[in-house]
Amino acid sequence: MTKIKAIDNKSLLFLMFNFSGMELRSASDRLKNDKDVVLEAVRLDGNALCYASERLQDNEEIVNTSLLSSNFESFRYASQRLQKKFEIKMGIRGI
């Protein structure tokens, strides 16, 4: 089976976002760790957070954007630290 090469071209990836923010899954690890790239992906589809690097899954701006664009569906992809912080802040448990 041939493995598809990850996309490491930021401009190309932004063009792919015209179809869906979930195209972040095709990105290289470097771009999955690029704040501008991930922010745009989660703005378009909050669930793209699942493809972001662990570092960016722990970034409040990225997670807030993903939560707003996914009606909180992406909450499970946020870091444990941010999940706890948001649960305490909002008085919620086990979304």
Side-chain angles (χ1 to χ4, degrees):
M1 180 183 273
T2 305
K3 185 176 180 183
I4 297 173
K5 186 176 179 184
I7 296 168
D8 196 45
N9 180 308
K10 198 173 187 176
S11 298
L12 177 59
L13 195 58
F14 275 103
L15 283 174
M16 292 173 67
F17 286 163
N18 286 321
F19 298 103
S20 169
M22 292 299 279
E23 293 298 334
L24 183 60
R25 70 177 163 259
S26 304
S28 65
D29 289 341
R30 181 181 73 84
L31 291 180
K32 289 177 181 178
N33 196 39
D34 182 299
K35 185 177 179 184
D36 294 332
V37 169
V38 173
L39 193 57
E40 180 64 10
V42 300
R43 185 185 69 75
L44 296 167
D45 187 329
N47 288 312
L49 184 62
C50 71
Y51 298 112
S53 67
E54 286 184 20
R55 179 181 75 87
L56 293 179
Q57 289 174 342
D58 192 50
N59 177 289
E60 285 192 50
E61 180 183 8
I62 300 251
V63 171
N64 280 332
T65 301
S66 77
L67 293 175
L68 290 173
S69 68
S70 72
N71 292 321
F72 286 80
E73 288 179 28
S74 62
F75 185 75
R76 64 180 170 244
Y77 305 122
S79 67
Q80 291 294 315
R81 180 186 74 84
L82 288 181
Q83 285 183 21
K84 278 187 172 182
K85 182 175 182 174
F86 288 130
E87 286 174 350
I88 291 167
K89 191 177 192 179
M90 299 173 71
I92 55 177
R93 293 278 175 228
I95 287 183

